[in-house]
């Protein structure tokens, strides 16, 4: 069983697994993240049409796992067009190394997305090694202007 209180989940090391170490439950989680990302698109798109807006005018803000799902959706090109920007607080992204491999799938849309991440330095759910790996991954993303920030005394809540 998957225990949310296990040390590998609480300290963030669970998310650092590479593709070679994936288990069936990891693949199931990745599938779930993709489905949630597609659901996000399906939930937002009708409202954009109602108000005559385009994806290029959308700013997404999120926290924790929800921020991670939105980031995955953007990096994998699930949005019909690139959003204008994302402001993500302590985003928890499953397997950043895997995301780096898959980012080439991203939309051919040439617009640049502004991406801001804000972390708490004392957040045990997103330790320094995890934040560094995700930052390296996001710096490789094409057409993304990435700006990370860390609050020195911040934890998982702000």
């Amino acid at each position: 069983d998957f225990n949310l209180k296990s040390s590998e989940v609480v300290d963030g090391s669970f998310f650092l697994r590479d593709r070679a170490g994936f288990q069936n439950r990891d693949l199931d989680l990745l599938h779930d993240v993709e489905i949630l990302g597609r659901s996000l698109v399906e939930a937002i798109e009708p409202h954009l049409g109602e108000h005559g807006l385009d994806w290029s005018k959308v700013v997404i803000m999120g926290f924790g796992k929800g921020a991670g799902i939105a980031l995955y959706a953007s990096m994998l090109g699930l949005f019909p067009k690139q959003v204008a920007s994302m402001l993500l607080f302590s985003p928890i992204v499953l397997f950043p190394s895997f995301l780096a491999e898959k980012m080439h799938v991203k939309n051919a849309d040439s617009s640049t997305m502004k991406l801001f991440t804000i972390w708490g330095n004392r957040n045990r759910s997103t330790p320094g090694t995890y934040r560094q790996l995700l930052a390296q991954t996001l710096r490789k993303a094409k057409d993304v202007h990435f700006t990370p920030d860390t609050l020195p005394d911040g934890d998982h809540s702000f």
Side-chain angles (χ1 to χ4, degrees):
D1 290 332
F2 187 73
N3 181 0
L4 290 174
K5 296 184 190 262
S6 70
S7 61
E8 70 174 354
V9 172
V10 172
D11 70 10
S13 62
F14 168 78
F15 303 110
L16 296 176
R17 284 193 195 143
D18 64 355
R19 184 181 218 165
F22 282 177
Q23 300 171 5
N24 283 339
R25 68 180 180 181
D26 300 331
L27 298 173
D28 290 343
L29 281 172
L30 285 168
H31 183 253
D32 292 346
V33 167
E34 182 176 344
I35 289 173
L36 288 168
R38 291 183 187 282
S39 297
L40 176 66
V41 171
E42 288 179 20
I44 294 173
E45 199 153 42
H47 297 288
L48 293 176
E50 269 179 39
H51 300 288
L53 296 173
D54 187 60
W55 282 96
S56 64
K57 304 293 185 202
V58 172
V59 175
I60 294 180
M61 295 176 57
F63 183 85
K65 292 176 191 147
I69 289 167
L71 184 56
Y72 245 100
S74 176
M75 295 295 104
L76 295 182
L78 299 181
F79 296 133
K81 284 179 102 177
Q82 187 62 277
V83 297
S85 63
M86 298 180 94
L87 176 59
L88 308 176
F89 298 90
S90 297
I92 297 177
V93 174
L94 287 177
F95 318 120
S97 298
F98 182 76
L99 176 63
E101 292 176 31
K102 297 299 179 185
M103 282 194 310
H104 68 277
V105 178
K106 196 174 165 220
N107 284 335
D109 186 358
S110 62
S111 62
T112 299
M113 176 181 71
K114 295 176 184 169
L115 173 60
F116 302 91
T117 59
I118 298 150
W119 308 91
N121 198 42
R122 294 184 181 175
N123 187 346
R124 294 183 334 162
S125 298
T126 55
T129 52
Y130 166 80
R131 293 192 304 264
Q132 288 172 347
L133 178 60
L134 184 58
Q136 288 171 355
T137 298
L138 295 173
R139 283 190 181 99
K140 294 176 188 174
K142 186 178 178 189
D143 298 324
V144 173
H145 180 83
F146 175 57
T147 306
D149 193 11
T150 303
L151 302 175
D153 292 325
D155 57 15
H156 194 64
S157 59
F158 294 100

